[in-house]
């Protein structure tokens, strides 16, 4: 008689039975607070579910966060900072452009000018801000190309770094994000650099967070505002007939 294998085959359990869903909450700087849901293995023994969630980074399109399809080319990174009940409270962790948007901007016959600046916000976040811009044809130009000279490019880069530093070091992270979204800094760079060489399509194409201050729950709650007020059903009035039927106390 042949012996069976020792231990036998272990029954395969569905891993999703051990998981729980959590709601991802975006900071109050965006118009949509409920971003989506995320999965995590339930707390068991010494392994706590919230520890598995903290530090997670979610990539969300700005079109979904602000319900505006024109902003679909921006990707926002949101990092899980804290878990309260079934809510995952996130904080801004970076910004990027979609690849197709950058590809659509780069064209022949124009100079591409890029720079980056390391800045520190008033609330202690260290950011690396990347900027991109392109030269523009003058109104009366007949020449096919419009390449800037290397000296002009150096001047433009210097101005870019100056403006980025000035705009970001005087405000906190929330105000910075609100400047990045409507491209306030890009328009300012276009205006200032017009005297050196006319520019177009100037964008803050990427933001990285190099360092963050020590985690503070009160500051995080300020960023989120009153997220609990959502998803509460509206009060429904009972019909007059039902009220009459209720027994008197």
């Amino acid at each position: 008689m042949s012996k069976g294998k020792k231990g036998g085959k272990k029954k395969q359990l569905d891993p999703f039975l051990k998981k729980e869903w959590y709601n991802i909450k975006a900071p109050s700087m965006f118009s949509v607070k409920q971003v989506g849901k995320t999965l995590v293995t339930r707390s068991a023994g010494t392994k706590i579910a919230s520890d598995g969630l903290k530090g997670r980074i979610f990539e969300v399109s700005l079109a979904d966060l602000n319900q505006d399809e024109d902003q679909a080319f921006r990707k926002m990174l949101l990092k899980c900072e804290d878990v309260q009940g079934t809510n995952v409270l996130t904080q801004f962790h970076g910004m990027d452009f979609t690849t197709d948007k950058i590809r659509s901007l780069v064209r022949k016959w124009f100079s591409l000018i890029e720079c980056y600046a390391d800045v520190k916000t008033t609330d202690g976040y260290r950011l690396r801000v990347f900027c991109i811009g392109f030269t523009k044809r003058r109104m009366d130009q007949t020449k096919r190309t419009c390449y800037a000279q290397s000296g002009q490019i150096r001047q433009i880069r210097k101005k870019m770094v100056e403006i980025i530093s000035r705009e970001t070091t005087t405000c906190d992270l929330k105000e910075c994000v609100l400047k990045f979204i409507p491209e306030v800094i890009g328009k300012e760079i276009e205006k200032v650099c017009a005297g050196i060489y006319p520019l177009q399509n100037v964008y803050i194409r990427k933001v990285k967070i190099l360092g963050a201050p020590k985690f503070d729950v009160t500051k995080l709650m300020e960023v989120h505002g009153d997220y609990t007020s959502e998803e509460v059903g509206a009060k429904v009035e009972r019909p007059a007939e039902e009220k009459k039927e209720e027994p008197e106390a």
Side-chain angles (χ1 to χ4, degrees), residues 93-179:
H93 188 67
M95 185 181 83
D96 204 354
F97 262 31
T98 54
T99 315
D100 62 295
K101 176 68 177 176
I102 292 176
R103 300 278 187 280
S104 71
L105 294 172
V106 179
R107 285 184 294 165
K108 280 202 299 189
W109 320 123
F110 297 94
S111 293
L112 183 155
I113 302 159
E114 278 190 297
C115 80
Y116 75 89
D118 288 351
V119 293
K120 193 173 184 180
T121 61
T122 52
D123 53 354
Y125 283 89
R126 287 189 300 113
L127 309 177
R128 181 165 287 166
V129 183
F130 295 81
C131 183
I132 191 168
F134 300 86
T135 53
K136 183 184 176 184
R137 273 203 181 89
R138 290 189 171 91
M139 294 288 283
D140 53 350
Q141 186 173 323
T142 50
K143 197 169 68 168
R144 190 182 195 180
T145 61
C146 47
Y147 297 128
Q149 293 171 346
S150 56
Q152 290 172 320
I153 290 173
R154 275 199 300 276
Q155 278 180 287
I156 290 170
R157 245 189 233 120
K158 194 180 171 188
K159 286 278 181 209
M160 280 178 169
V161 172
E162 266 175 41
I163 293 164
I164 290 166
S165 301
R166 189 183 72 217
E167 292 286 340
T168 50
T169 51
T170 54
C171 55
D172 61 14
L173 184 69
K174 187 180 176 179
E175 285 168 27
C176 282
V177 176
L178 293 172
K179 280 183 182 179

Side-chain angles (χ1 to χ4, degrees), residues 200-213:
Q200 63 180 347
N201 297 331
V202 180
Y203 293 105
I204 298 297
R205 71 167 182 88
K206 190 175 185 179
V207 178
K208 279 184 186 175
I209 289 193
L210 303 177

Side-chain angles (χ1 to χ4, degrees), residues 25-27 29-35 63-67 230:
K25 298 286 180 187
M29 58 191 93
F30 305 110
S31 56
V32 175
K33 299 287 177 288
Q34 173 70 34
V35 179
D64 296 334
L65 285 171
N66 280 349
Q67 291 179 323
E230 288 178 17

Side-chain angles (χ1 to χ4, degrees), residues 40-98:
V40 72
T41 310
R42 275 197 196 97
S43 300
T46 53
K47 220 174 177 192
I48 299 162
S50 61
D51 293 347
L53 284 168
K54 279 174 191 170
R56 266 191 203 186
I57 293 166
F58 307 103
E59 190 180 274
V60 192
S61 168
L62 188 59
D64 296 334
L65 285 171
N66 280 349
Q67 291 179 323
D68 179 10
E69 217 45 57
D70 296 339
Q71 297 175 336
F73 58 86
R74 276 185 208 279
K75 296 182 290 186
M76 289 291 174
L77 298 178
L78 302 174
K79 185 180 180 182
C80 170
E81 293 283 358
D82 196 20
V83 181
Q84 294 191 353
T86 57
N87 292 320
V88 173
L89 305 187
T90 61
Q91 175 63 293
F92 175 79
H93 188 67
M95 185 181 83
D96 204 354
F97 262 31
T98 54

